[in-house]
Protein backbone atom coordinates (compact mmCIF):
# COMPACT_ATOMS: atom_id res chain seq x y z
CA UNK A 1 0.00 0.00 0.00
CA UNK A 2 2.89 2.35 0.83
CA UNK A 3 4.44 1.54 -2.49
CA UNK A 4 1.26 2.40 -4.33
CA UNK A 5 0.98 5.71 -2.45
CA UNK A 6 4.60 6.56 -3.25
CA UNK A 7 4.04 5.74 -6.88
CA UNK A 8 0.88 7.86 -7.03
CA UNK A 9 2.63 10.76 -5.29
CA UNK A 10 5.60 10.56 -7.64
CA UNK A 11 3.32 10.47 -10.66
CA UNK A 12 1.39 13.48 -9.42
CA UNK A 13 4.66 15.34 -8.73
CA UNK A 14 5.93 14.63 -12.24
CA UNK A 15 2.61 15.71 -13.72
CA UNK A 16 2.66 18.99 -11.81
CA UNK A 17 6.25 19.63 -12.87
CA UNK A 18 5.26 19.09 -16.48
CA UNK A 19 2.05 21.11 -16.41
CA UNK A 20 3.14 24.09 -14.31
CA UNK A 21 5.54 25.55 -16.92
CA UNK A 22 2.84 25.29 -19.54
CA UNK A 23 0.45 27.30 -17.39
CA UNK A 24 3.02 30.04 -16.95
CA UNK A 25 3.24 30.69 -20.71
CA UNK A 26 0.23 32.15 -22.49
CA UNK A 27 -0.42 31.33 -26.16
CA UNK A 28 0.57 34.86 -27.12
CA UNK A 29 3.92 34.47 -25.37
CA UNK A 30 4.86 31.35 -27.32
CA UNK A 31 6.03 33.55 -30.19
CA UNK A 32 8.27 35.52 -27.88
CA UNK A 33 9.81 32.64 -25.98
CA UNK A 34 10.52 28.95 -26.29
CA UNK A 35 9.13 26.43 -23.78
CA UNK A 36 10.30 27.06 -20.24
CA UNK A 37 13.19 24.73 -19.36
CA UNK A 38 13.48 22.93 -16.05
CA UNK A 39 16.13 23.67 -13.46
CA UNK A 40 18.73 20.98 -13.93
CA UNK A 41 21.46 22.85 -11.99
CA UNK A 42 23.64 23.04 -15.11
CA UNK A 43 21.99 24.87 -18.00
CA UNK A 44 23.14 25.86 -21.48
CA UNK A 45 21.43 29.01 -22.76
CA UNK A 46 21.22 29.28 -26.61
CA UNK A 47 22.49 32.29 -28.53
CA UNK A 48 20.07 35.24 -28.94
CA UNK A 49 17.97 34.17 -25.97
CA UNK A 50 17.59 35.62 -22.48
CA UNK A 51 16.35 33.46 -19.60
CA UNK A 52 14.81 35.35 -16.69
CA UNK A 53 15.46 33.56 -13.37
CA UNK A 54 13.43 34.08 -10.18
CA UNK A 55 14.64 33.03 -6.77
CA UNK A 56 11.88 32.28 -4.30
CA UNK A 57 9.37 34.21 -6.42
CA UNK A 58 11.48 37.35 -6.93
CA UNK A 59 13.60 38.39 -9.89
CA UNK A 60 17.15 37.17 -9.42
CA UNK A 61 19.10 37.56 -12.69
CA UNK A 62 19.12 37.04 -16.46
CA UNK A 63 21.13 34.11 -17.80
CA UNK A 64 23.53 34.95 -20.59
CA UNK A 65 24.13 32.59 -23.54
CA UNK A 66 26.43 29.72 -22.65
CA UNK A 67 27.03 27.74 -19.44
CA UNK A 68 25.07 28.74 -16.33
CA UNK A 69 24.45 27.19 -12.85
CA UNK A 70 21.28 27.41 -10.77
CA UNK A 71 20.29 26.29 -7.29
CA UNK A 72 17.66 23.58 -7.35
CA UNK A 73 14.23 24.26 -5.84
CA UNK A 74 15.13 27.90 -5.00
CA UNK A 75 15.79 29.12 -8.56
CA UNK A 76 13.23 28.83 -11.30
CA UNK A 77 13.27 29.98 -14.97
CA UNK A 78 10.23 32.24 -15.23
CA UNK A 79 10.53 33.78 -18.72
CA UNK A 80 12.44 32.98 -21.88
CA UNK A 81 12.75 35.98 -24.20
CA UNK A 82 14.02 35.84 -27.77
CA UNK A 83 16.41 38.65 -28.75
CA UNK A 84 15.92 38.11 -32.48
CA UNK A 85 13.94 40.43 -34.70
CA UNK A 86 10.25 39.51 -34.53
CA UNK A 87 7.71 40.01 -37.31
CA UNK A 88 4.07 40.58 -36.39
CA UNK A 89 1.17 40.90 -38.83
CA UNK A 90 -1.09 43.78 -37.90
CA UNK A 91 -4.69 42.73 -38.66
CA UNK A 92 -6.73 44.65 -41.19
CA UNK A 93 -8.72 47.49 -39.69
CA UNK A 94 -10.93 50.33 -40.86
CA UNK A 95 -9.96 53.96 -40.46
CA UNK A 96 -11.35 57.28 -41.64
CA UNK A 97 -9.18 59.80 -43.48
CA UNK A 98 -9.32 63.57 -43.14
CA UNK A 99 -11.77 63.85 -46.06
CA UNK A 100 -14.16 61.24 -44.49
CA UNK A 101 -13.19 58.25 -46.64
CA UNK A 102 -13.28 54.84 -44.95
CA UNK A 103 -10.15 52.80 -45.65
CA UNK A 104 -9.29 49.18 -44.91
CA UNK A 105 -5.59 48.97 -44.11
CA UNK A 106 -3.18 46.39 -42.71
CA UNK A 107 0.54 46.23 -42.12
CA UNK A 108 3.61 44.40 -40.85
CA UNK A 109 5.47 45.30 -37.66
CA UNK A 110 9.15 44.52 -37.01
CA UNK A 111 10.19 44.41 -33.34
CA UNK A 112 13.14 43.51 -31.17
CA UNK A 113 13.46 43.08 -27.39
CA UNK A 114 16.12 45.40 -25.98
CA UNK A 115 15.49 44.84 -22.26
CA UNK A 116 14.34 41.32 -21.22
CA UNK A 117 13.49 42.51 -17.70
CA UNK A 118 11.06 45.18 -18.91
CA UNK A 119 9.64 42.85 -21.55
CA UNK A 120 8.92 40.24 -18.85
CA UNK A 121 7.59 42.44 -16.04
CA UNK A 122 6.53 45.64 -17.82
CA UNK A 123 3.59 44.27 -19.80
CA UNK A 124 1.45 41.16 -19.58
CA UNK A 125 1.15 40.37 -23.30
CA UNK A 126 3.80 42.21 -25.38
CA UNK A 127 2.50 41.08 -28.76
CA UNK A 128 -1.08 42.11 -28.06
CA UNK A 129 0.02 45.42 -26.56
CA UNK A 130 2.24 46.37 -29.49
CA UNK A 131 -0.38 45.27 -32.04
CA UNK A 132 -3.09 47.34 -30.41
CA UNK A 133 -0.73 50.29 -30.15
CA UNK A 134 0.14 50.01 -33.84
CA UNK A 135 -3.53 49.90 -34.84
CA UNK A 136 -4.51 52.92 -32.75
CA UNK A 137 -1.49 54.88 -33.95
CA UNK A 138 -2.30 54.01 -37.54
CA UNK A 139 -5.88 55.23 -37.16
CA UNK A 140 -4.76 58.49 -35.57
CA UNK A 141 -2.14 59.14 -38.26
CA UNK A 142 -4.55 58.35 -41.10
CA UNK A 143 -7.07 60.77 -39.63
CA UNK A 144 -4.58 63.59 -40.21
CA UNK A 145 -4.21 62.94 -43.94
CA UNK A 146 -6.51 63.13 -46.95
CA UNK A 147 -6.98 60.20 -49.32
CA UNK A 148 -4.56 61.54 -51.91
CA UNK A 149 -1.84 62.16 -49.32
CA UNK A 150 -2.25 58.64 -47.88
CA UNK A 151 -1.05 57.16 -51.17
CA UNK A 152 1.66 59.75 -51.73
CA UNK A 153 3.09 59.87 -48.19
CA UNK A 154 3.22 56.22 -47.20
CA UNK A 155 6.86 56.49 -46.21
CA UNK A 156 6.27 59.42 -43.87
CA UNK A 157 3.20 57.65 -42.49
CA UNK A 158 5.29 54.57 -41.68
CA UNK A 159 7.98 56.65 -39.96
CA UNK A 160 5.37 58.50 -37.86
CA UNK A 161 3.84 55.21 -36.71
CA UNK A 162 7.27 53.83 -35.74
CA UNK A 163 8.07 56.99 -33.78
CA UNK A 164 4.78 56.87 -31.89
CA UNK A 165 5.17 53.16 -31.05
CA UNK A 166 8.72 53.64 -29.77
CA UNK A 167 7.62 56.44 -27.45
CA UNK A 168 5.06 54.16 -25.81
CA UNK A 169 6.96 50.85 -25.89
CA UNK A 170 10.12 52.19 -24.28
CA UNK A 171 8.82 51.14 -20.84
CA UNK A 172 8.18 47.63 -22.17
CA UNK A 173 11.78 47.02 -23.27
CA UNK A 174 10.68 46.68 -26.90
CA UNK A 175 12.11 48.58 -29.87
CA UNK A 176 10.05 49.00 -33.04
CA UNK A 177 12.46 48.83 -35.96
CA UNK A 178 10.06 49.59 -38.81
CA UNK A 179 6.45 49.44 -39.86
CA UNK A 180 5.28 48.75 -43.39
CA UNK A 181 1.76 49.23 -44.76
CA UNK A 182 0.82 46.18 -46.81
CA UNK A 183 -2.49 46.96 -48.49
CA UNK A 184 -4.86 49.91 -48.61
CA UNK A 185 -8.40 49.09 -49.73
CA UNK A 186 -10.84 51.85 -50.65
CA UNK A 187 -14.61 51.53 -51.19
CA UNK A 188 -15.70 50.59 -54.73
CA UNK A 189 -17.42 53.92 -55.39
CA UNK A 190 -14.39 55.86 -54.25
CA UNK A 191 -12.25 53.65 -56.45
CA UNK A 192 -14.47 54.38 -59.46
CA UNK A 193 -14.33 58.12 -58.77
CA UNK A 194 -10.54 57.92 -58.49
CA UNK A 195 -10.36 56.16 -61.85
CA UNK A 196 -12.60 58.82 -63.39
CA UNK A 197 -10.39 61.50 -61.88
CA UNK A 198 -7.30 59.85 -63.33
CA UNK A 199 -8.92 59.62 -66.77
CA UNK A 200 -9.98 63.27 -66.59
CA UNK A 201 -6.46 64.27 -65.60
CA UNK A 202 -5.03 62.31 -68.51
CA UNK A 203 -7.48 63.92 -70.94
CA UNK A 204 -6.57 67.32 -69.53
CA UNK A 205 -2.88 66.64 -70.02
CA UNK A 206 -3.52 65.41 -73.56
CA UNK A 207 -5.53 68.56 -74.37
CA UNK A 208 -2.86 70.81 -72.88
CA UNK A 209 -0.12 69.02 -74.80
CA UNK A 210 -2.13 69.24 -78.02
CA UNK A 211 -2.74 72.96 -77.54
CA UNK A 212 0.94 73.51 -76.77
CA UNK A 213 1.85 71.60 -79.91
CA UNK A 214 -0.54 73.75 -82.00
CA UNK A 215 0.89 76.90 -80.45
CA UNK A 216 4.46 75.80 -81.13
CA UNK A 217 3.53 74.92 -84.72
CA UNK A 218 1.93 78.36 -85.27
CA UNK A 219 4.96 80.06 -83.73
CA UNK A 220 7.29 78.07 -85.97
CA UNK A 221 5.23 78.93 -89.09
CA UNK A 222 5.19 82.63 -88.16
CA UNK A 223 8.91 82.57 -87.45
CA UNK A 224 9.53 80.90 -90.79
CA UNK A 225 7.45 83.54 -92.63
CA UNK A 226 9.32 86.27 -90.78
CA UNK A 227 12.70 84.86 -91.70
CA UNK A 228 11.57 84.37 -95.30
CA UNK A 229 10.45 88.02 -95.55
CA UNK A 230 13.69 89.21 -93.96
CA UNK A 231 15.75 87.15 -96.38
CA UNK A 232 13.64 88.32 -99.34
CA UNK A 233 14.06 91.98 -98.33
CA UNK A 234 17.79 91.47 -97.87
CA UNK A 235 17.94 89.86 -101.29
CA UNK A 236 16.06 92.77 -102.87
CA UNK A 237 18.32 95.23 -101.07
CA UNK A 238 21.44 93.50 -102.30
CA UNK A 239 19.97 93.29 -105.79
CA UNK A 240 19.23 97.02 -105.85
CA UNK A 241 22.69 97.75 -104.47
CA UNK A 242 24.25 95.59 -107.17
CA UNK A 243 22.13 97.28 -109.87
CA UNK A 244 23.10 100.73 -108.57
CA UNK A 245 26.76 99.76 -108.42
CA UNK A 246 26.53 98.36 -111.93
CA UNK A 247 24.83 101.49 -113.26
CA UNK A 248 27.40 103.70 -111.51
CA UNK A 249 30.20 101.63 -112.97
CA UNK A 250 28.59 101.89 -116.39
CA UNK A 251 28.21 105.67 -116.05
CA UNK A 252 31.86 105.97 -114.97
CA UNK A 253 32.95 103.75 -117.81
CA UNK A 254 30.94 105.83 -120.31
CA UNK A 255 32.33 109.04 -118.86
CA UNK A 256 35.89 107.73 -119.03
CA UNK A 257 35.33 106.56 -122.60
CA UNK A 258 33.78 109.89 -123.55
CA UNK A 259 36.62 111.80 -121.91
CA UNK A 260 39.13 109.67 -123.77
CA UNK A 261 37.23 110.20 -127.03
CA UNK A 262 37.13 113.96 -126.48
CA UNK A 263 40.84 113.95 -125.65
CA UNK A 264 41.65 112.00 -128.78
CA UNK A 265 39.35 114.26 -130.80
CA UNK A 266 41.05 117.36 -129.45
CA UNK A 267 44.44 115.92 -130.31
CA UNK A 268 43.23 115.07 -133.79
CA UNK A 269 41.80 118.55 -134.33
CA UNK A 270 44.98 120.15 -133.07
CA UNK A 271 47.01 118.17 -135.62
CA UNK A 272 47.52 119.15 -139.26
CA UNK A 273 44.35 119.15 -141.43
CA UNK A 274 42.21 118.76 -138.29
CA UNK A 275 39.60 121.22 -139.50
CA UNK A 276 39.11 119.28 -142.73
CA UNK A 277 38.62 116.06 -140.76
CA UNK A 278 36.10 117.80 -138.45
CA UNK A 279 34.22 119.18 -141.47
CA UNK A 280 34.06 115.68 -142.96
CA UNK A 281 32.72 114.23 -139.71
CA UNK A 282 30.05 116.92 -139.34
CA UNK A 283 28.97 116.35 -142.93
CA UNK A 284 28.68 112.59 -142.37
CA UNK A 285 26.59 113.09 -139.20
CA UNK A 286 24.36 115.60 -141.03
CA UNK A 287 23.67 113.13 -143.84
CA UNK A 288 23.03 110.31 -141.33
CA UNK A 289 20.58 112.47 -139.36
CA UNK A 290 18.60 113.27 -142.51
CA UNK A 291 18.48 109.56 -143.29
CA UNK A 292 16.66 108.83 -139.98
CA UNK A 293 13.97 111.50 -140.39
CA UNK A 294 10.33 110.40 -140.01
CA UNK A 295 11.25 106.94 -138.73
CA UNK A 296 10.58 107.39 -135.02
CA UNK A 297 7.82 110.09 -135.05
CA UNK A 298 5.56 112.00 -137.45
CA UNK A 299 6.77 115.45 -136.28
CA UNK A 300 9.70 116.75 -138.37
CA UNK A 301 11.62 119.99 -137.94
CA UNK A 302 13.65 120.96 -141.03
CA UNK A 303 15.98 123.91 -141.56
CA UNK A 304 15.19 126.39 -144.31
CA UNK A 305 18.20 125.38 -146.41
CA UNK A 306 18.19 121.61 -146.17
CA UNK A 307 20.05 121.24 -149.45
CA UNK A 308 22.94 123.51 -148.52
CA UNK A 309 25.20 120.94 -146.85
CA UNK A 310 28.29 123.10 -147.20
CA UNK A 311 26.56 125.97 -145.41
CA UNK A 312 25.59 123.70 -142.53
CA UNK A 313 29.15 122.37 -142.30
CA UNK A 314 30.62 125.87 -142.40
CA UNK A 315 28.16 126.99 -139.69
CA UNK A 316 29.16 124.02 -137.45
CA UNK A 317 32.85 124.74 -138.05
CA UNK A 318 32.31 128.42 -137.16
CA UNK A 319 30.72 127.43 -133.88
CA UNK A 320 33.60 125.02 -133.23
CA UNK A 321 36.25 127.65 -134.03
CA UNK A 322 34.51 130.12 -131.72
CA UNK A 323 34.49 127.61 -128.86
CA UNK A 324 38.13 126.76 -129.56
CA UNK A 325 39.17 130.40 -129.45
CA UNK A 326 37.30 130.87 -126.18
CA UNK A 327 39.01 127.86 -124.63
CA UNK A 328 42.45 129.04 -125.84
CA UNK A 329 41.83 132.49 -124.42
CA UNK A 330 40.77 131.05 -121.08
CA UNK A 331 43.87 128.86 -120.95
CA UNK A 332 46.14 131.81 -121.79
CA UNK A 333 44.59 133.90 -119.04
CA UNK A 334 45.05 131.05 -116.59
CA UNK A 335 48.73 130.77 -117.50
CA UNK A 336 49.21 134.52 -117.03
CA UNK A 337 47.63 134.42 -113.55
CA UNK A 338 49.85 131.54 -112.55
CA UNK A 339 52.97 133.40 -113.74
CA UNK A 340 51.93 136.51 -111.77
CA UNK A 341 51.51 134.42 -108.62
CA UNK A 342 54.96 132.92 -109.10
CA UNK A 343 56.50 136.38 -109.48
CA UNK A 344 54.76 137.71 -106.34
CA UNK A 345 55.89 134.86 -104.06
CA UNK A 346 59.64 135.90 -103.77
CA UNK A 347 58.67 139.54 -103.13
CA UNK A 348 56.34 138.54 -100.28
CA UNK A 349 59.04 136.33 -98.73
CA UNK A 350 61.56 139.24 -98.81
CA UNK A 351 59.12 141.60 -97.07
CA UNK A 352 58.55 139.04 -94.34
Amino acid sequence: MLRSLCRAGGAMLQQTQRTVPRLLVTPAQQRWASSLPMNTVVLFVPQQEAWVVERMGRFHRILEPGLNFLIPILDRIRYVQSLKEIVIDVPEQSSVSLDNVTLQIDGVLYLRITDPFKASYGVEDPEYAVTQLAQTTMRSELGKLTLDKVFRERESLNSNIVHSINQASDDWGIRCLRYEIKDIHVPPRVKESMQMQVEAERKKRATVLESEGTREAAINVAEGCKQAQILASQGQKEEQINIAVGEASAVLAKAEAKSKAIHLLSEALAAQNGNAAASLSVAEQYVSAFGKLAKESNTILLPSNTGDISGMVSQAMTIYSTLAKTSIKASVEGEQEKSKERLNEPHEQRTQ
Side-chain angles (χ1 to χ4, degrees):
M1 187 173 180
L2 291 173
R3 290 180 179 177
S4 62
L5 289 174
C6 291
R7 290 177 182 176
M12 290 177 65
L13 181 60
Q14 291 179 358
Q15 187 177 1
T16 55
Q17 289 178 352
R18 294 176 181 176
T19 56
V20 168
R22 295 179 182 177
L23 293 175
L24 294 176
V25 182
T26 61
Q29 290 176 337
Q30 291 180 359
R31 296 185 56 174
W32 295 75
S34 59
S35 60
L36 295 179
M38 295 179 61
N39 185 359
T40 58
V41 181
V42 179
L43 298 176
F44 296 95
V45 179
Q47 185 68 30
Q48 291 296 324
E49 283 191 4
W51 292 5
V52 180
V53 178
E54 291 182 354
R55 176 169 291 179
M56 293 183 293
R58 293 184 62 183
F59 172 75
H60 176 57
R61 66 190 181 100
I62 298 174
L63 301 183
E64 300 293 335
L67 178 63
N68 292 274
F69 298 94
L70 295 179
I71 299 174
I73 301 174
L74 297 180
D75 295 337
R76 184 180 65 169
I77 300 172
R78 186 68 175 83
Y79 298 100
V80 175
Q81 303 290 354
S82 176
L83 302 180
K84 298 178 182 179
E85 186 174 345
I86 301 169
V87 182
I88 300 176
D89 289 329
V90 179
E92 186 178 5
Q93 61 175 338
S94 63
S95 59
V96 181
S97 62
L98 185 61
D99 50 356
N100 297 325
V101 178
T102 303
L103 302 175
Q104 298 292 331
I105 188 168
D106 58 355
V108 181
L109 194 62
Y110 297 87
L111 305 174
R112 177 174 290 172
I113 295 177
T114 58
D115 191 344
F117 177 79
K118 291 182 179 181
S120 300
Y121 298 99
V123 62
E124 180 66 25
D125 191 345
E127 179 180 354
Y128 180 75
V130 173
T131 302
Q132 294 299 315
L133 181 60
Q135 289 180 346
T136 55
T137 306
M138 185 190 303
R139 283 194 292 266
S140 63
E141 291 294 333
L142 287 176
K144 301 176 184 178
L145 301 175
T146 59
L147 181 60
D148 295 334
K149 290 185 178 180
V150 169
F151 291 99
R152 290 198 302 264
E153 300 181 2
R154 294 181 65 173
E155 186 175 356
S156 63
L157 182 62
N158 293 335
S159 62
N160 292 335
I161 293 174
V162 170
H163 180 68
S164 299
I165 292 174
N166 286 330
Q167 285 182 346
S169 63
D170 190 21
D171 295 335
W172 302 341
I174 300 171
R175 181 70 179 175
C176 180
L177 301 178
R178 57 190 177 276
Y179 180 85
E180 297 293 337
I181 296 176
K182 291 173 62 177
D183 296 320
I184 300 176
H185 301 284
V186 297
R189 293 184 179 179
V190 177
K191 190 174 182 180
E192 291 177 0
S193 63
M194 291 175 63
Q195 290 179 353
M196 294 174 63
Q197 182 180 2
V198 171
E199 291 178 359
E201 188 68 23
R202 290 178 180 175
K203 290 181 181 179
K204 176 183 176 182
R205 292 179 182 177
T207 305
V208 171
L209 292 175
E210 185 178 359
S211 63
E212 289 180 355
T214 305
R215 184 186 67 178
E216 293 294 335
I219 291 173
N220 291 334
V221 171
E223 190 69 24
C225 294
K226 176 182 176 182
Q227 293 294 331
Q229 292 178 359
I230 291 173
L231 294 175
S233 63
Q234 290 179 354
Q236 292 177 359
K237 177 182 177 181
E238 292 179 358
E239 183 180 1
Q240 292 177 1
I241 291 173
N242 292 332
I243 292 172
V245 171
E247 291 178 354
S249 300
V251 171
L252 290 175
K254 289 180 180 179
E256 290 178 357
K258 190 173 182 180
S259 64
K260 290 181 180 179
I262 292 172
H263 182 68
L264 294 175
L265 182 61
S266 63
E267 290 180 354
L269 293 174
Q272 189 177 4
N273 297 324
N275 293 329
S279 300
L280 179 61
S281 177
V282 170
E284 289 178 353
Q285 292 179 2
Y286 183 80
V287 173
S288 176
F290 269 93
K292 295 180 180 180
L293 290 175
K295 288 185 177 181
E296 295 181 357
S297 63
N298 295 328
T299 303
I300 301 173
L301 295 176
L302 295 175
S304 59
N305 52 352
T306 56
D308 189 3
I309 298 175
S310 61
M312 293 295 297
V313 173
S314 62
Q315 185 177 0
M317 292 303 296
T318 302
I319 295 170
Y320 170 73
S321 61
T322 303
L323 294 174
K325 289 178 181 179
T326 304
S327 61
I328 291 170
K329 184 178 180 181
S331 62
V332 170
E333 291 178 354
E335 291 292 334
Q336 290 178 357
E337 290 179 357
K338 290 181 180 179
S339 61
K340 288 180 181 180
E341 291 177 356
R342 291 174 183 175
L343 292 173
N344 291 330
E345 285 180 358
H347 178 69
E348 291 176 357
Q349 293 179 356
R350 289 175 184 176
T351 57
Q352 292 177 356

